[in-house]
Amino acid sequence: MSVVAASHSAVPTAGPYVPVRIDSFPYQVCNGKNNRDCDWKATGALLDGPTFDSSSIMTPITGGMTLLSPASVPNRFYVINEEGNGYEQFYLKNKALSIDLDLSQVKCGYNAAFYFSRLPTNVPIGTGYCDGQNTCNEFDVLESNIAATQQTSHSCTTNSTGTYCDPWGCGVNTGSDSNIGPHSSVIDTTLPFTLVTKFYTNNNQASGELVNITQVYQQGSKSYTFPQSITPSYCTSLTWNPYYPKTGGLAAMSDALAKGITMIFSLWGSGDMSWLDGGNTNPRCAAAANGTNQFTFSNIKISNL
């Protein structure tokens, strides 16, 4: 299967909008020796504003959420702060980000996404959306369905003439890796699994420059580190992407991660996600051919590296 590692996290518009707000959307922050001191953060979540259809379903579960996107209706929501008056800010340099996932019902042609974007902090919640397709640094921890997962860095830079972003991004895709996928003997995507994303810096401190982003997949007693990580040398080797060298690269993403970024989830379908899953004729797609397009995630935890 041939998959182009370019990311497309922009969500298509849909009809009339009825806002949905969840007052409890917890995540853990762990510190101290061996990250043993963990605290739950009692944040909330807000369905995105006026271009999204109220028939999108967002159901809280213990420690997480289930998104359901029937009939190609998109949805996207932000994590908001405990006070409910702004977007929660995350600082990920020299951190490990863990999340439990269930993609078993997400068909090919759909995109279950977990990502961060440098949204403005001085706007009412539910407004000010931006991403790497327009004016904001965006890091996609996960764009996914039953057949493949992908992580992508979309950098942006600003100069006297405006803001310029990398809409294609520097990404890595698991679609051709037999160790990850439906009914794989290592990480079987028809079953729940844990994804751990690690943001390494050049001095092993949050003050350092971002130099390497790796992902580890865990399921039961099995663990698999995806062999290709996102590094400056890997990104510059993607000569098909003319935007990366002109938009600040990982240095720009490093700056965004230091200033704070907003956590976002979405589930949407366009009928063709061949850039992600290789197209609906991919044999892997059969595992969710009758899926309900339900995306479940929980147990988000941020720890020190």
Side-chain angles (χ1 to χ4, degrees):
M1 179 182 68
S2 176
V3 177
V4 177
S7 174
H8 302 262
S9 58
V11 182
T13 60
Y17 167 69
V18 176
V20 177
R21 178 168 170 168
I22 301 297
D23 290 326
S24 178
F25 183 77
Y27 70 94
Q28 287 189 83
V29 175
C30 298
N31 295 291
K33 186 176 181 180
N34 298 320
N35 291 304
R36 291 178 179 174
D37 300 329
C38 296
D39 294 318
W40 284 97
K41 302 295 184 180
T43 53
L46 186 79
L47 189 69
D48 195 3
T51 60
F52 290 81
D53 194 301
S54 60
S55 61
S56 297
I57 298 171
M58 184 169 66
T59 305
I61 62 172
T62 301
M65 193 81 66
T66 292
L67 293 182
L68 180 64
S69 187
S72 297
V73 174
N75 55 45
R76 175 172 61 210
F77 77 85
Y78 313 110
V79 175
I80 58 178
N81 61 27
E82 187 173 0
E83 296 75 20
N85 59 10
Y87 299 124
E88 181 79 344
Q89 295 298 288
F90 293 84
Y91 306 88
L92 297 178
K93 289 201 295 183
N94 200 46
K95 301 292 185 182
L97 171 66
S98 174
I99 185 170
D100 292 347
L101 299 160
D102 186 345
L103 304 176
S104 62
Q105 297 296 310
V106 185
K107 299 179 183 180
C108 287
Y110 281 76
N111 182 359
F114 169 39
Y115 63 107
F116 293 84
S117 191
R118 175 93 175 114
L119 270 59
T121 57
N122 59 346
V123 298
I125 57 173
T127 66
Y129 180 77
C130 58
D131 58 26
Q133 304 298 313
N134 42 63
T135 59
C136 292
N137 282 278
E138 171 194 347
F139 186 79
D140 303 325
V141 175
L142 180 80
E143 294 188 278
S144 61
N145 56 40
I146 190 66
T149 68
Q150 181 164 310
Q151 66 159 327
T152 310
S153 177
H154 297 273
S155 55
C156 297
T157 189
T158 301
N159 58 33
S160 60
T161 62
T163 297
Y164 303 91
C165 294
D166 178 3
W168 293 359
C170 172
V172 293
N173 186 292
T174 65
S176 59
D177 191 325
S178 62
N179 293 295
I180 306 172
H183 308 300
S184 169
S185 61
V186 183
I187 305 298
D188 180 359
T189 55
T190 68
L191 300 172
F193 62 91
T194 299
L195 177 63
V196 183
T197 305
K198 300 179 180 182
F199 299 84
Y200 291 98
T201 64
N202 61 351
N203 67 354
N204 298 317
Q205 302 289 330
S207 61
E209 286 296 314
L210 185 68
V211 293
N212 190 7
I213 307 170
T214 67
Q215 288 193 320
V216 181
Y217 293 76
Q218 300 170 344
Q219 192 171 60
S221 62
K222 297 176 182 178
S223 180
Y224 179 67
T225 301
F226 191 69
Q228 180 60 64
S229 59
I230 293 180
T231 65
S233 59
Y234 168 72
C235 293
T236 55
S237 74
L238 303 177
T239 55
W240 49 263
N241 182 359
Y243 302 101
Y244 179 81
K246 301 175 182 179
T247 53
L250 280 194
M253 185 58 62
S254 181
D255 184 58
L257 296 184
K259 291 178 178 177
I261 50 179
T262 300
M263 183 184 291
I264 306 170
F265 294 85
S266 70
L267 176 60
W268 62 286
S270 67
D272 180 13
M273 294 281 178
S274 56
W275 59 269
L276 171 63
D277 54 35
N280 292 326
T281 59
N282 179 358
R284 290 186 172 204
C285 297
N290 297 316
T292 57
N293 287 321
Q294 178 175 295
F295 172 33
T296 300
F297 45 89
S298 60
N299 298 323
I300 299 169
K301 183 169 67 174
I302 300 172
S303 308
N304 293 322
L305 286 175

